[in-house]
């Protein structure tokens, strides 16, 4: 697949926005500037980016507790995300949701979710809605390896398969669910093989290679849009940071993975891989990449300023939005 | 007596009961490493057959606990956050709760479920809910809500020895609270409430994490010569009706203080009991102080506005006693 320069630069910008945003969120959470549970996806930028780059604006996604990356890749604004994570009224959900629950319907982001596996049936339903409404929009559903053990995964794949729904199931396999290694609670080595049980295509994808993700996602999305039904993509990746920011405080001396494993995966950094590709292909200069980084840093600074300066919600807003009026 | 936290009390109860009965075993997500510490170290003592990490599959492993109980063992099943019970509702409500009755008394279901409930600061609606009321009207489940470390230990041990499905709700904000707890084989029976602070003018029935709050309010009001009796029912099913009613008989005024929602909530249930069976004792309406009927919001000022609070409890008490 020969990709144009614009889309390559867009993907680099998306991965850079995710990386810098997540690192900042990690630091702010560590400094106790952010309430609640915060899960970051550093190291997993390529899967979110490669899939969303292959989607149209009107296509939809569902996300997870580790959702900042998916939202950014689908076009989420850093300032409104940051404000939400700070609990401010100017945030995407007026401060009602926080880090785990950011939603932007205008961008087709049906939401991050605090319940593991909850996005799968919702994405299936979103695909169903496209069929019922006679639109050719596709829904991409992000979830973890851990979520693929929930009943909702199996029920959704079957439902989407029998109704040939336009949905792409994207499993980001980072090897762990919280502190439990996947191999100890999952009967298969590759989540992709579970596609066979529902008679749909399943592919193992290098989840740290944004170009490979883009290629597989494009094919699956095209298939879905053409009415040929769902695909399961398994993006093999790794989370560099803890399951939740601050986990060391309660884990203490206990550990669930080795430093060596973490550093090996850092060598497969999706951004460094892209840098290498850029240099080798000769399509993009180092200066262009550096400019994107500088621009993103400025965008992020502005986002933090916006979040800090935004007002907190008023206590009276607590009863707003329980029902549609 | 040794000083122990609420979480350590859980750990002690589990360890002692597993020691006592080889047919008990623990399962749940991440119970081996145990992020919150409740099951820490059990793997070293009891090994992988009796301490099992489950996949993230609530309907599956909760249902497996039901089957394992029916087939003669005594599972202790952890469901992390109590909101995740929603993912396993059928297995809890249609299976665990009903199968003894529906089998004409053949099935025995000695299961202990443990789960963390309540608001702990910015965890948002799917990780902050007080969910025990959702199980109040499912006949066949016992519901336990310990408010302190010693009750936790004694009640959890009783729950594990009980031959019925029991859900033990642990408040997420109580985990680190320290307290002296009695040494030895300390049991608190299910169905026996506790007078946590004796008083004369008004009865406050407080549940779970609301108990220490109610005691603080009572201490403050004592300075204005308002004498508050704080009753902790400790278990919602069975409920110590006698203790609640005899307190109201003495004080003639009642407030029920609960972090759950108002509609269909535990406070509503207990207020109805007092209204129906204690009507002649009452000098005024039974007041319910609960969280608002909204999903618990993320942002701190909204969360504070949504939750039952000491300020609202104090106002309700003052209004009842007229000062
Ligand atoms: C239904 C449900 N069960 C358990 C949890 C607690 N929990 C939050 S994240 C997580 C691990 C999820 O693992 P995975 O799906 O692989 O995603 P990852 O965290 O690795 O990105 C668990 C068990 C939850 N939020 N919802």
């Amino acid at each position: 697949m020969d990709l144009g320069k614009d889309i390559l630069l867009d993907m680099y910008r998306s991965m850079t926005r995710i990386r810098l945003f997540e690192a900042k969120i990690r630091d702010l959470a560590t400094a106790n500037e952010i309430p609640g549970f915060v899960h970051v996806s550093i190291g997993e930028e390529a899967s979110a980016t490669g899939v969303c780059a292959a989607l149209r604006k009107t296509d939809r996604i569902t996300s997870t507790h580790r959702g900042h990356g998916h939202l950014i890749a689908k076009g989420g604004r850093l300032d409104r995300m940051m404000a939400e994570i700070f609990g401010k009224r100017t945030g995407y959900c007026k401060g009602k949701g926080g880090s785990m629950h950011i939603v932007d319907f205008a961008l087709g982001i049906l939401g991050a979710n605090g319940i593991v596996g909850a996005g799968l049936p919702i994405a299936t339903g979103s695909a169903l809605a496209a069929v019922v409404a006679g639109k050719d929009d596709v829904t991409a559903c992000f979830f973890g390896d851990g979520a693929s053990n929930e009943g909702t995964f199996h029920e959704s794949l079957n439902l989407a398969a029998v109704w040939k729904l336009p949905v792409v199931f994207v499993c980001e396999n980072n090897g762990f669910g919280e502190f439990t290694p996947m191999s100890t609670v999952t009967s298969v080595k590759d989540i992709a093989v579970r596609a066979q049980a529902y008679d749909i295509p399943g592919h193992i994808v290098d989840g740290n290679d944004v170009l490979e993700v883009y290629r597989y996602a494009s094919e699956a999305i095209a298939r879905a849009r053409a009415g040929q039904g769902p695909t399961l993509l398994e993006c093999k990746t790794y989370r560099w940071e803890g399951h939740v920011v601050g986990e060391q405080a309660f884990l203490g001396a206990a550990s669930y993975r080795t430093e060596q494993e973490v550093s090996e995966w850092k060598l497969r950094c999706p951004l460094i891989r892209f840098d290498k590709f850029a240099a080798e292909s000769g399509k993009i200069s180092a200066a262009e990449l550096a400019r994107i980084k500088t621009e993103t840093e400025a965008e992020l600074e502005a986002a933090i300023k916006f979040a800090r300066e935004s007002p907190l919600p008023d206590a009276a807003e607590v009863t707003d939005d329980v029902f549609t009026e | 007596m040794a000083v122990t936290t609420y979480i350590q009390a859980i750990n002690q109860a589990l360890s002692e009961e597993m020691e006592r009965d080889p047919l008990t075993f623990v399962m749940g997500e991440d119970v081996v490493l145990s992020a919150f510490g409740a099951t820490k170290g059990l793997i070293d003592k009891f090994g992988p057959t009796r301490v099992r990490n489950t996949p993230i599959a609530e309907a599956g492993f909760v249902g497996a606990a039901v089957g394992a109980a029916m087939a003669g063992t005594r599972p202790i099943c952890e469901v992390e956050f109590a909101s995740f019970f929603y993912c396993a509702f059928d297995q809890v409500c249609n299976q665990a709760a009903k199968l003894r009755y529906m089998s004409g008394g053949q099935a025995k279901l000695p299961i202990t479920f443990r789960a963390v409930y309540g608001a702990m600061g910015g965890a948002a609606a799917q990780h902050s809910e007080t969910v025990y009321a959702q199980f109040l009207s499912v006949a066949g489940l016992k519901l336990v809500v310990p408010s302190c470390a010693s009750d936790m230990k004694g009640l959890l041990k009783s729950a594990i020895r009980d031959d019925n499905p029991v859900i033990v709700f642990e408040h997420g904000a109580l985990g680190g609270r320290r307290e002296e707890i009695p040494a030895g084989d300390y049991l608190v029976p299910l169905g026996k409430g506790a007078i946590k602070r004796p008083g004369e003018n008004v009865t406050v029935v407080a549940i779970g994490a609301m108990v220490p709050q109610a005691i603080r309010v009572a201490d403050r009001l004592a300075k204005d010569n308002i004498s508050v009796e704080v009753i902790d029912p400790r278990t919602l099913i069975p409920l110590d009706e006698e203790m609640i009613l005899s307190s109201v008989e003495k004080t003639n005024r009642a407030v029920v203080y609960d972090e759950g929602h108002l509609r269909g909530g535990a406070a509503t249930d207990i207020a109805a009991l007092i209204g129906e069976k204690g009507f002649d004792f009452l000098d005024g309406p039974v007041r319910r102080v609960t969280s608002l009927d909204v999903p618990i919001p993320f942002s701190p000022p909204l969360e504070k506005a949504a939750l039952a609070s000491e300020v609202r409890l104090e106002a309700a008490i003052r209004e009842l006693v007229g000062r």
Side-chain angles (χ1 to χ4, degrees):
Chain A
M1 192 181 281
D2 197 22
L3 293 175
K5 185 165 169 177
D6 283 353
I7 190 159
L8 290 171
L9 287 177
D10 282 351
M11 287 200 275
Y12 184 74
R13 185 183 296 277
S14 166
M15 291 200 293
T16 304
R17 289 173 87 221
I18 298 171
R19 172 67 58 90
L20 298 184
F21 184 86
E22 292 285 58
K24 198 67 188 178
I25 291 290
R26 174 201 57 203
D27 295 346
L28 291 166
T30 306
N32 281 326
E33 275 203 65
I34 295 170
F37 300 112
V38 175
H39 310 82
V40 298
S41 64
I42 299 176
E44 306 182 22
E45 297 86 353
S47 53
T49 296
V51 171
C52 290
L55 292 171
R56 296 196 308 216
K57 190 144 192 204
T58 53
D59 290 337
R60 293 182 284 270
I61 65 165
T62 64
S63 172
T64 68
H65 58 286
R66 201 178 303 290
H68 307 152
H70 309 138
L71 277 43
I72 292 171
K74 191 69 174 58
R77 291 179 56 120
L78 302 191
D79 51 0
R80 295 196 62 205
M81 286 181 64
M82 193 63 88
E84 184 61 32
I85 293 169
F86 272 72
K88 298 301 181 74
R89 180 193 280 146
T90 53
Y92 266 124
C93 311
K94 306 176 195 164
K96 298 247 170 61
S99 165
M100 269 196 289
H101 303 281
I102 300 176
V103 172
D104 184 354
F105 274 56
L107 293 172
I109 298 166
L110 300 188
N113 207 307
I115 298 299
V116 170
L120 287 125
I122 291 173
T124 303
S126 164
L128 173 61
V131 171
V132 171
K135 304 235 171 79
D136 69 348
D137 295 328
V138 170
T139 303
C141 171
F142 293 100
F143 58 97
D145 48 285
S148 79
N149 290 325
E150 287 279 12
T152 52
F153 167 88
H154 299 274
E155 297 182 26
S156 300
L157 263 66
N158 183 60
L159 188 58
V162 286
W163 286 349
K164 283 206 180 312
L165 297 178
V167 51
V168 180
F169 296 105
V170 183
C171 178
E172 295 175 305
N173 182 350
N174 61 18
F176 295 89
E178 291 185 352
F179 318 113
T180 301
M182 172 196 156
S183 59
T184 62
V185 288
T186 309
S187 63
V188 291
K189 200 165 113 302
D190 302 311
I191 305 298
V193 305
R194 290 182 162 170
Q196 285 170 30
Y198 305 100
D199 199 18
I200 63 174
H203 303 290
I204 298 171
V205 181
D206 180 342
N208 283 18
D209 179 349
V210 72
L211 302 176
E212 182 169 320
V213 174
Y214 180 84
R215 209 157 45 237
Y216 276 101
S218 299
E219 188 190 307
I221 290 163
R223 227 183 143 262
R225 218 182 295 287
Q228 292 168 336
T231 301
L232 173 62
L233 300 180
E234 177 188 12
C235 297
K236 303 270 194 193
T237 185
Y238 198 79
R239 69 168 153 74
W240 293 8
E241 301 288 326
H243 163 66
V244 60
V245 178
E247 70 184 24
Q248 281 317 323
F250 44 82
L251 284 180
S255 68
Y256 56 95
R257 56 187 191 177
T258 63
E259 279 305 316
Q260 192 193 337
E261 185 177 281
V262 180
S263 30
E264 275 168 22
W265 273 94
K266 286 187 178 174
L267 297 176
R268 293 179 234 173
C269 171
L271 282 114
I272 294 178
R273 298 243 318 244
F274 190 91
D275 286 346
K276 255 179 76 187
F277 156 80
E280 282 163 12
S281 70
K283 282 190 186 171
I284 301 166
S285 72
E288 284 171 302
L289 298 184
R291 201 186 65 236
I292 287 179
K293 195 158 173 239
T294 315
E295 284 169 5
T296 305
E297 278 162 357
E299 184 190 8
L300 187 58
E301 278 316 304
I304 294 167
K305 185 161 183 290
F306 174 77
R308 286 213 172 106
E309 289 173 1
S310 288
L312 283 162
D314 193 85
E317 293 164 40
V318 69
T319 50
D320 293 349
D321 294 323
V322 177
F323 293 105
T324 304
E325 300 298 339
Chain B
M1 298 242 258
V3 177
T4 304
T5 66
Y6 191 75
I7 293 273
Q8 287 166 341
I10 299 170
N11 193 266
Q12 284 178 16
L14 294 173
S15 185
E16 288 174 18
E17 292 307 302
M18 289 179 76
E19 199 95 62
R20 185 174 172 272
D21 185 343
L23 289 176
T24 55
F25 65 98
V26 163
M27 67 168 154
E29 290 160 24
D30 267 317
V31 294
V32 170
L33 204 70
S34 188
F36 298 132
T39 52
K40 213 162 222 142
L42 295 180
I43 185 77
D44 303 323
K45 268 193 213 154
F46 303 106
T49 300
R50 294 179 66 202
V51 181
R52 293 176 168 268
N53 271 354
T54 61
I56 309 170
E58 288 78 12
F61 72 77
V62 165
V66 175
M70 288 170 76
T73 57
R74 308 184 73 86
I76 303 165
C77 183
E78 175 176 321
V79 185
E80 267 194 5
F81 286 86
S83 303
F84 308 161
F85 268 125
Y86 292 135
C87 303
F89 232 43
D90 174 68
Q91 291 295 330
V92 177
C93 301
N94 269 328
Q95 313 305 331
K98 297 190 173 83
L99 290 180
R100 175 166 182 80
Y101 187 80
M102 294 179 75
S103 67
Q106 291 181 68
K108 206 167 79 172
L109 290 134
I111 315 171
T112 305
F113 293 111
R114 298 181 30 245
V116 174
Y117 81 97
M120 53 209 86
Q126 292 170 342
H127 288 73
S128 300
E129 197 171 358
T130 293
V131 300
Y132 36 70
Q134 278 77 328
F135 300 95
L136 268 178
S137 59
V138 181
L141 301 170
K142 294 189 181 180
L143 307 179
V144 178
V145 193
S147 67
C148 63
S150 56
D151 283 353
M152 173 54 86
K153 181 164 177 189
L155 289 165
L156 179 54
K157 282 167 68 79
S158 295
I160 294 168
R161 290 187 202 181
D162 198 287
D163 278 340
N164 297 286
V166 183
I167 309 181
V168 181
F169 291 96
E170 308 161 11
H171 197 287
L174 291 179
R177 279 177 69 97
R178 300 178 160 277
E179 194 201 335
E180 289 198 346
I181 64 179
D185 195 22
Y186 179 62
L187 293 169
V188 174
L190 307 187
K192 193 86 203 72
I195 301 173
K196 293 287 178 173
R197 189 189 189 286
E200 302 297 328
N201 305 137
V202 55
T203 297
V204 173
V205 181
I207 302 168
M210 300 300 99
V211 173
Q213 292 191 12
I215 292 171
R216 274 201 297 273
V217 170
D219 288 345
R220 275 203 296 277
L221 289 171
K223 295 185 189 117
D224 289 345
N225 284 322
I226 299 169
S227 169
V228 176
E229 176 147 296
V230 178
I231 303 279
D232 176 357
R234 299 200 287 200
T235 62
L236 297 175
I237 297 177
L239 183 65
D240 192 343
E241 298 191 0
E242 200 186 307
M243 178 174 285
I244 295 168
L245 292 170
S246 53
S247 175
V248 177
E249 184 171 14
K250 177 174 69 174
T251 63
N252 310 124
R253 295 176 188 93
V255 181
V256 192
Y257 187 42
D258 181 31
E259 188 176 319
H261 291 131
L262 184 71
R263 294 299 307 276
T268 296
D269 185 61
I270 292 171
L273 163 78
I274 300 170
E276 187 172 275
K277 297 191 184 168
F279 185 74
D280 293 338
F281 308 145
L282 289 168
D283 283 350
V286 182
R287 295 292 311 270
R288 298 167 294 169
V289 178
T290 67
S291 296
L292 304 183
D293 283 336
V294 302
I296 305 303
F298 163 75
S299 182
L302 295 177
E303 185 184 46
K304 185 158 172 266
L307 292 175
S309 69
E310 292 180 31
V311 175
R312 294 201 341 237
L313 175 61
E314 183 172 333
I317 295 171
R318 285 186 182 279
E319 197 187 306
L320 263 190
V321 297
R323 26 194 181 125

